Amino acid sequence: MKHFLPILSWLPNYKKEHLSGDFFAGITVGIMLIPQGMAYALIAGLPPVYGLYASIVPQVIYAILGTSRQLSVGPVAMDSLLVAAGVSVLATEGSDSYIVFAILLAFFMGAFQFLLGIFRLGFITNLLSKPVISGFTSAAALIIGFNQLKYLLGTDIQKSNRFYEVIINALDKVDDTHLVTLMLGIAGIVIIKLSKRIHKNIPGALIAVIIGTGLVYLLNLHSGGVSIVQTIPEGLPAFTLPQFSLGQFNEVLPLAFTISVVAFMEAFSVAKAMEAKNRNHKVIPNQELIGLGAANVVGALFQSYPVTGGFSRTAVNQQAGANTPLASIISAALVALTLIFLTPLFYYLPHAILAAIIMVAVTNLFDWAYGKKLWLNSKKEFLVLLFTFLVTLNIGMVIGIVTGIILSILLFLYRAAYPHIARLGRIRGHHEFRNITRFQDLETWEELAILRIDAPLSFINIQGINDYIRKLLSDDDKINEIIIDAGPVSHLDATAVEGLRNLIDSLNEKGVRLVICDVIGPVRDTMVQTGLTKVIGKKNLFLSLSEAVENALSNTKDPYKKVTLQSNVKT
C-alpha cells in the first residue's frame, strides 16, 4: 500500500517537530501562489481565477500519490504557454470553448502521465535531452516575457507564439503606450527584484500585488485607463465531468502528449534536485508520473488547467522549511480560503503587476551559462540546443520540441554509427595497453594491430567498423594479425554477427588472422548461440588482451624484428 499510496509512508510517522516547518512553508508558498497562479492563467489565455482553481485540488492529490516531499505542484509558466499555443488554434481566447479545451487538455495530459506510470514507461521521457530542454525553455522564456508587453505597456498588442511576430506587433503599438500602466509594471518588477535581494523568502510578488492594487484603488487609476482584473468569481471550483466529442479528442491528443512529457521532465528534474539536497526520501519516476497524472485528471474535474511541479515555488517551499507534503496541503487550503473569502480584494489588481510577476519569473528559464558550456565542450550538442531554440522561437512550441528530439536521436545514431576505435600499444615493462595517439613511448608491432572498439556491435556500426579494418590493411600491408579488445562491447546483434562472418572471410582470403579477447558473458552467449565462436575458432579467442598479445608474439619466428618504438605526441 505504501508503494501505491506514498502518503502512508510519511503521514503515520509524522513528527510534531515537522509541523512548524510545514505550516510556515505552506503559508509562504500559498501567499506566493495566489498572485503567481493568476498571472500564469493569463499566459494560458484563461481568466485569472483558473490559476487559483489549478492551485487547489492538484496539490492535494499529488501530496497523496507523489514521492517528493517538497515538490510544489501547480500552474507554471512554460506549460501555460504550451496551453496557449495549442488551444489558441482550436478556439478563440477568452471564449467558453477555449476554457473547455484547456480543461480537456489537463484531463488527457494527466491520463497520458498516469498510463505511462502504470505501465512503467517513464523512460520515454529520456528522449528529451538536456540541450533540447534548455533550448526549448530559453525560447519559451523569451516568448512568455515579450507576450507580457501587452499588459506592461497597456496597449492592445496581439499575442503570438512566434517571437518575431510579438516584436513586430509590439513595435506597431509602441506609440500607444499607456505611461501610468508602464510605470506600475516597472515598479512591480523593481519591488519583486529588490525583495529577493533583501531576503529570498520575502514574498515580493504579493507585496507588488498589495502596493499595485492599493495605488489603483486610492488614486482611481482604473478610470484613467489602467487595466484591472475586476470581478473574480467567489467560491470553490465546482465538480464537472468533462464532455467532449471524438473530434475534440483528436485535436487535443498530440498537444496533450507533448505537454505530459515536458511537464513530467520539468517536475522530475526539480524533484530530483530536492532529493539530492534533503536525502530523506527517494523520488520514484513511475510513481511521480502516476502522482502528476492523477493530479491533472482529478484537477480537471474541478476546472483545473494543466499543472506540474514548479522550480521557484519548490525552492521556496524547501527553503521555508517544508518537511513533508503537508506543506502543499496547507498551501491548497490557503488558496481555497482566498477563493471563498478574499476574491473581492483582487478587483483592483492591475494586469501590469501580473505581467511584472511573469516577466521576473521567466528570467530564470533562460540559461546562458549552459549554452556557453556546450559551445566550449560539445559543439554538436550546442547545435541541437541552438536549432531547438530557433525553431521554438520562430515556428512553434510543439514543432520546436519535436525538432529537438529528432536532432538528439540523429546525433545519437551518428555517434553509434561511427564509434571510437582506438589502436593500442603496450606500456613498456607492464601488461597494460593504451591508445597510441594519447600516450607516447608505447610498444607496438609492425605486423600486429591491436584495436579496441568502444561501442556495442550492431546493425548501425558494423559496416563502418569493417570498413575501418579494411582501410587499415590497405594502408599497411605488413599487418598479418588483428587483435580486437572486445571489453567495451556490451551487445552483439544479428546484423553484427553476419558482419563479423563476412569480415573473417575477407581476412582469411588475405591471410590475416583475427583474434578477439576479453569478451563479456552476454556477448559470448550470443557468439555461441549463433555459431560465431566456431567461425572465429577457439584458438583465436582469449580471456585477456595480454594473453592474446603474448600468443601472437610467441607464434612468430622472429618477434624482435616486429618491435618498433612508438613516440607519438599526446593529443
Side-chain angles (χ1 to χ4, degrees):
M1 287 301 292
K2 287 181 179 179
H3 177 76
F4 295 107
L5 292 172
I7 191 173
L8 299 178
S9 65
W10 61 267
L11 187 59
N13 303 314
Y14 193 83
K15 299 176 182 178
K16 289 183 179 180
E17 56 264 29
H18 289 165
L19 184 59
S20 59
D22 284 341
F23 182 79
F24 181 72
I27 296 297
T28 303
V29 172
I31 289 172
M32 178 184 183
L33 189 54
I34 292 166
Q36 201 177 66
M38 290 192 290
Y40 291 160
L42 281 182
I43 296 177
L46 297 166
V49 70
Y50 283 89
L52 300 181
Y53 291 163
S55 303
I56 302 174
V57 175
Q59 286 203 87
V60 176
I61 298 299
Y62 179 80
I64 296 170
L65 296 173
T67 56
S68 175
R69 300 288 173 88
Q70 284 84 26
L71 187 68
S72 177
V73 171
V76 298
M78 191 163 62
D79 287 2
S80 297
L81 183 61
L82 280 170
V83 170
V87 178
S88 61
V89 300
L90 305 176
T92 303
E93 185 176 316
S95 65
D96 290 341
S97 58
Y98 187 98
I99 295 171
V100 169
F101 271 116
I103 294 172
L104 273 179
L105 191 58
F107 183 85
F108 289 121
M109 165 194 169
F112 273 126
Q113 290 177 329
F114 191 84
L115 290 174
L116 287 172
I118 288 292
F119 291 107
R120 308 183 68 80
L121 297 175
F123 66 88
I124 290 176
T125 58
N126 293 335
L127 291 173
L128 283 175
S129 64
K130 181 65 187 292
V132 172
I133 295 170
S134 181
F136 173 75
T137 54
S138 296
L142 285 176
I143 296 170
I144 293 168
F146 278 85
N147 266 313
Q148 300 315 302
L149 290 175
K150 171 181 181 178
Y151 304 108
L152 194 70
L153 301 179
T155 60
D156 188 22
I157 299 173
Q158 185 177 354
K159 287 185 177 182
S160 175
N161 297 313
R162 296 181 175 90
F163 183 69
Y164 68 90
E165 290 181 354
V166 177
I167 298 298
I168 293 171
N169 295 340
L171 291 175
D172 286 343
K173 297 288 186 177
V174 71
D175 292 337
D176 300 332
T177 299
H178 191 266
L179 291 179
V180 177
T181 299
L182 178 61
M183 291 171 64
L184 271 175
I186 293 173
I189 292 172
V190 171
I191 290 169
I192 297 168
K193 287 283 190 181
L194 281 178
S195 65
K196 290 297 177 187
R197 287 193 175 186
I198 295 170
H199 196 281
K200 56 190 175 185
N201 286 338
I202 294 176
L206 184 64
I207 294 171
V209 165
I210 293 171
I211 293 175
T213 304
L215 287 173
V216 170
Y217 176 75
L218 294 173
L219 302 179
N220 201 28
L221 298 179
H222 58 291
S223 62
V226 174
S227 175
I228 59 175
V229 170
Q230 299 184 18
T231 302
I232 295 178
E234 294 182 0
L236 298 175
F239 175 83
T240 54
L241 289 173
Q243 297 180 353
F244 59 92
S245 63
L246 184 61
Q248 288 175 321
F249 176 76
N250 291 332
E251 289 174 326
V252 169
L253 203 64
L255 184 62
F257 182 75
T258 302
I259 297 182
S260 67
V261 175
V262 173
F264 173 68
M265 285 296 298
E266 186 176 2
F268 185 66
S269 61
V270 175
K272 290 296 287 184
M274 293 300 107
E275 177 193 40
K277 285 185 178 181
N278 296 277
R279 299 185 180 182
N280 60 352
H281 66 281
K282 183 172 180 59
V283 176
I284 303 170
N286 289 308
Q287 185 61 34
E288 283 297 288
L289 278 167
I290 292 172
L292 289 168
N296 277 287
V297 168
V298 180
L301 302 178
F302 292 90
Q303 303 182 58
S304 168
Y305 76 98
V307 299
T308 190
F311 178 79
S312 58
R313 287 195 308 273
T314 300
V316 169
N317 197 34
Q318 191 264 339
Q319 292 162 5
N323 297 297
T324 71
L326 180 62
S328 292
I329 296 174
I330 293 171
S331 296
L334 182 60
V335 176
L337 289 173
T338 300
L339 275 169
I340 296 171
F341 299 110
L342 303 178
T343 52
L345 298 179
F346 295 103
Y347 182 92
Y348 294 100
L349 172 60
H351 282 116
I353 294 295
L354 294 179
I357 294 169
I358 294 168
M359 295 179 88
V360 172
V362 298
T363 54
N364 296 322
L365 295 176
F366 203 88
D367 196 350
W368 279 106
Y370 185 69
K372 183 179 179 181
K373 181 180 177 182
L374 282 184
W375 172 253
L376 295 173
N377 301 326
S378 178
K379 296 290 193 297
K380 292 184 179 70
E381 289 185 294
F382 174 79
L383 288 176
V384 172
L385 183 152
L386 182 63
F387 272 96
T388 304
F389 174 79
L390 293 175
V391 172
T392 302
L393 199 66
N394 296 300
I395 299 179
M397 308 283 286
V398 176
I399 295 175
I401 281 282
V402 173
T403 300
I405 291 173
I406 292 172
L407 286 174
S408 293
I409 293 173
L410 289 175
L411 180 59
F412 172 78
L413 293 177
Y414 174 83
R415 287 173 171 166
Y418 299 97
H420 179 252
I421 302 176
R423 189 165 178 182
L424 306 180
R426 186 168 62 186
I427 300 174
R428 293 186 178 278
H430 296 80
H431 294 291
E432 299 294 325
F433 294 80
R434 294 292 183 268
N435 190 338
I436 63 173
T437 63
R438 293 179 177 272
F439 293 83
Q440 56 185 342
D441 197 28
L442 298 174
E443 264 187 310
T444 61
W445 298 268
E446 289 181 356
E447 298 178 22
L448 175 63
I450 308 170
L451 306 178
R452 188 189 70 227
I453 302 172
D454 296 330
L457 300 187
S458 65
F459 69 95
I460 199 170
N461 62 21
I462 190 62
Q463 187 59 50
I465 292 168
N466 286 356
D467 290 343
Y468 175 93
I469 293 174
R470 291 189 180 103
K471 186 177 185 305
L472 181 66
L473 293 174
S474 67
D475 292 343
D476 189 351
D477 57 6
K478 294 180 181 179
I479 297 174
N480 59 30
E481 183 167 339
I482 294 174
I483 298 176
I484 294 179
D485 178 4
V489 177
S490 60
H491 176 69
L492 188 67
D493 71 6
T495 307
V497 169
E498 194 60 33
L500 286 176
R501 289 177 186 271
N502 295 335
L503 177 64
I504 292 168
D505 291 341
S506 175
L507 295 180
N508 287 339
E509 290 176 2
K510 296 179 180 180
V512 177
R513 180 190 182 197
L514 179 68
V515 173
I516 300 179
C517 65
D518 202 18
V519 183
I520 66 170
V523 175
R524 194 162 56 245
D525 293 341
T526 301
M527 291 170 63
V528 172
Q529 291 163 6
T530 57
L532 186 60
T533 300
K534 291 181 180 179
V535 175
I536 298 171
K538 289 187 177 180
K539 65 179 181 179
N540 296 324
L541 293 170
F542 292 88
L543 289 176
S544 69
L545 179 55
S546 182
E547 278 186 43
V549 172
E550 289 301 327
N551 177 268
L553 296 180
S554 66
N555 285 339
T556 183
K557 295 179 181 178
D558 193 6
Y560 297 104
K561 287 187 178 179
K562 294 186 179 182
V563 178
T564 61
L565 290 180
Q566 174 56 241
S567 58
N568 291 34
V569 178
K570 182 179 178 181
T571 59

